[in-house]
Amino acid sequence: QLQLQESGPGLVKPSETLSLSCTVSGGSISGSSYYWGWIRQPPGKGLQYIGSIFYSGSTYYNPFLKSRVTISVDTSKNQFSLKLTSVTAADTAVYYCARSTAMVNPRFDYWGQGNLVIVSS
Amino acid sequence: SFELTQPPSVSVSPGQTASITCSGDKLGDKYACWYQQKPGQSPVLVIYQDTKRPSGIPERFSGSNSGNTSTLTISGTQAMDEADYFCQAWDITTYVVFGGGTRLTVL
């Protein structure tokens, strides 16, 4: 059974960089046809797509966040990571990593349990 | 930019049919999928490619997509179906787009 697990700090100061990792177990990131994505959910609000990466390193970012987002992959660790720069209180959210079946017309069929990140001094 | 609109809330009596809509410009020309999210849990995919159910999703969940509207239908709604539901589609300019979510209450 595929499992995804987010990890990273739960508190980040304003203007600093938010960094999270997602470790995949029960399957390999490498050589598969899947994309690996990040989605966030502010408390009490809806889901917002952040971006996705293919094992080869190809990335797609939400245009509204693109200037601040970097997603990378480490196939040797079966992990992919998110960096979000210059954070503000508006970036406070539960951050989910998830597997998507494709980049065009994707569906997210496996999700991590989520990592709450609070932006506060 | 492409946007998806859902009603904030829908109520249904146990055993009845619940319909949750998701509207977007020419949504019927795209594939829609739906997620269920219960409090404190991660979203779960319940419908993909407009009408398909992933393995393990009960048959009472069904979907349709035509024109500007995708609809998630839950037949014989049970108390366990009370949750937030999000639609999602893909657009060439904004990539993955989610609707704002609908809170389903089973009264």
Side-chain angles (χ1 to χ4, degrees):
Chain A
Q1 175 78 347
L2 190 75
Q3 292 186 327
L4 291 84
Q5 176 77 52
E6 304 90 351
S7 59
L11 181 65
V12 180
K13 290 182 169 55
S15 80
E16 295 190 345
T17 296
L18 178 160
S19 297
L20 294 172
S21 293
C22 180
T23 300
V24 178
S25 58
S28 176
I29 287 180
S30 302
S32 68
S33 60
Y34 298 106
Y35 280 75
W36 306 90
W38 289 97
I39 297 136
R40 69 181 184 180
Q41 184 173 34
K45 296 187 178 181
L47 301 168
Q48 183 182 34
Y49 174 70
I50 299 172
S52 299
I53 192 166
F54 195 57
Y55 77 92
S56 64
S58 298
T59 53
Y60 292 84
Y61 298 135
N62 180 332
F64 297 103
L65 297 171
K66 185 175 182 177
S67 63
R68 298 195 292 132
V69 172
T70 302
I71 297 176
S72 59
V73 64
D74 186 339
T75 55
S76 67
K77 295 182 179 179
N78 222 33
Q79 282 183 348
F80 60 106
S81 299
L82 168 70
K83 289 189 186 299
L84 180 66
T85 61
S86 305
V87 297
T88 70
D91 295 310
T92 292
V94 175
Y95 286 75
Y96 295 101
C97 60
R99 186 183 83 168
S100 74
T101 53
M103 192 53 231
V104 176
N105 293 315
R107 59 186 182 272
F108 295 93
D109 56 356
Y110 286 91
W111 295 65
Q113 88 288 350
N115 192 126
L116 173 62
V117 178
I118 297 172
V119 178
S120 175
S121 56
Chain B
S1 62
F2 183 72
E3 296 180 355
L4 295 173
T5 301
Q6 298 181 235
S9 63
V10 168
S11 297
V12 64
S13 299
Q16 299 303 302
T17 297
S19 295
I20 301 173
T21 58
C22 174
S23 299
D25 185 43
K26 297 180 182 177
L27 180 57
D29 293 342
K30 310 176 189 299
Y31 275 136
C33 53
W34 289 88
Y35 301 87
Q36 175 194 69
Q37 186 181 33
K38 296 182 179 180
Q41 298 183 18
S42 303
V44 173
L45 180 69
V46 294
I47 293 290
Y48 68 97
Q49 289 182 1
D50 298 338
T51 62
K52 298 179 180 178
R53 279 180 294 105
S55 174
I57 300 302
E59 291 184 7
R60 63 180 181 273
F61 287 87
S62 63
S64 64
N65 188 17
S66 179
N68 294 323
T69 303
S70 173
T71 302
L72 173 68
T73 302
I74 309 173
S75 304
T77 306
Q78 300 182 10
M80 68 172 66
D81 300 328
E82 188 163 284
D84 292 329
Y85 291 86
F86 296 90
C87 60
Q88 177 240 302
W90 184 86
D91 176 76
I92 195 169
T93 58
T94 51
Y95 302 133
V96 176
V97 179
F98 290 96
T102 299
R103 172 70 53 88
L104 177 67
T105 301
V106 182
L107 299 170

